Amino acid sequence: MRLYQENGYDGMSRRTAGIIAAQLIAKPDCVLGLATGSTPVGAYQQLAAWHREGGLSFQEVTCVNLDEYKGLAPDHDQSYRYFMQHNLFDHVDVRPGFTNVPDGLAADPAAECLRYDTLIRDLGGIDLQLLGLGRNGHIGFNEPGDAFVRPTHVVDLTPSTIEANARFFANAGEVPRQALTMGIGAIMAARHVVVAVSGADKAQAVHDAFCGPVTPQVPASILQLHPHVTLVGDAPALKLLLEAGGPA
Ligand code: GLP
């Protein structure tokens, strides 16, 4: 595993964007797995700036996002489709039909999950998967549980995730209770996984994910078994991991 400790949120964002830009340059028609949350916003802004000012192109790229809240329409301002449009897709030259987010309004969510896995498989898998990290160690919306779930699936969000994400809604009562998320299978099959973390409130999850036991109670811990992971963080997020001697 490669580890980058960067200077603050901005340094973490710039490094993350640099890794994604390198992927775009090396393989212009790559499949990019993208994430939402506050962590990747700075990296997306940097990519948009490099597109605007430096000609970085997304023209041949296909994007597949990790997850979507069940029950939110694409134009709901807290949906992950809306997030992606506003934070990245509307600011770069990605082709509109080539951005994919699970459909939170699908009448048959199980069929939608199957469609999503088929889509990823037909694309030949994911070249680079960007991940944030939930405070409870979740990736995408793969929540702590008794088993790693391989396929895209509908998940019940844990109280801690609902509470963590309530900051984006008027109140916790408005946070959807379920989501559709890419499973551990597609994430682990990605050829390169880039985990971006920032801030002290991620330090415990980073520690548990990368130097604790591999357990579905900490979904990100499965990444210890992935052959090509890059962890990008700032000092507060990496503190406990580095104090423990670094990744396992
Ligand atoms: C959400 C998303 C995750 C994200 C996590 C952390 O629950 N489903 O993909 O990694 O939040 O978010 P943040 O980056 O805002 O801390």
Side-chain angles (χ1 to χ4, degrees):
M1 188 178 111
R2 185 174 288 276
L3 174 70
Y4 290 102
Q5 180 174 316
E6 301 297 343
N7 201 359
Y9 179 79
D10 290 348
M12 180 281 296
S13 298
R14 196 177 164 82
R15 172 69 68 185
T16 303
I19 294 167
I20 295 170
Q23 173 69 64
L24 294 177
I25 292 163
K27 187 178 178 190
D29 60 347
C30 64
V31 177
L32 274 189
L34 297 175
T36 54
S38 47
T39 307
V41 169
Y44 293 158
Q45 285 171 351
Q46 180 65 77
L47 288 167
W50 283 336
H51 167 67
R52 219 170 34 244
E53 294 151 15
L56 181 71
S57 178
F58 286 70
Q59 219 164 20
E60 296 177 53
V61 170
T62 303
C63 298
V64 284
N65 258 79
L66 281 167
D67 47 12
E68 180 59 283
Y69 286 114
K70 185 166 176 283
L72 294 196
D75 60 355
H76 186 290
D77 67 0
Q78 290 308 325
S79 78
Y80 286 167
R81 162 57 76 179
Y82 185 95
F83 174 100
M84 290 308 302
Q85 291 301 139
H86 286 260
N87 285 289
L88 183 66
F89 298 154
D90 289 349
H91 306 288
V92 295
D93 57 347
V94 66
R95 298 160 295 175
F98 290 75
T99 64
N100 299 281
V101 181
D103 179 2
L105 290 185
D108 182 345
E112 171 61 7
C113 291
L114 196 60
R115 180 194 73 81
Y116 210 66
D117 279 337
T118 305
L119 167 81
I120 294 169
R121 200 191 55 226
D122 290 350
L123 287 168
I126 296 164
D127 288 297
L128 185 157
Q129 177 64 57
L130 176 63
L131 296 177
L133 186 63
R135 289 181 219 167
N136 63 3
H138 74 230
I139 46 178
F141 268 133
N142 290 273
E143 293 278 41
D146 297 332
F148 294 109
V149 182
R150 289 177 72 107
T152 298
H153 57 286
V154 177
V155 65
D156 294 331
L157 302 182
T158 63
S160 80
T161 296
I162 291 166
E163 187 204 313
N165 290 358
R167 67 191 193 277
F168 301 115
F169 292 80
N171 57 65
E174 287 190 12
V175 185
R177 267 34 188 176
Q178 289 188 307
L180 282 70
T181 184
M182 197 188 283
I184 293 299
I187 294 171
M188 286 299 282
R191 288 178 273 284
H192 184 191
V193 175
V194 178
V195 186
V197 288
S198 174
D201 64 338
K202 296 296 171 69
Q204 191 64 50
V206 173
H207 169 277
D208 295 351
F210 294 103
C211 69
V214 176
T215 165
Q217 293 299 331
V218 183
S221 65
I222 192 80
L223 298 173
Q224 292 179 37
L225 305 180
H226 192 285
H228 190 190
V229 174
T230 302
L231 174 62
V232 188
D234 55 17
L238 299 179
K239 185 168 182 282
L240 298 181
L241 177 69
L242 295 177
E243 279 174 5

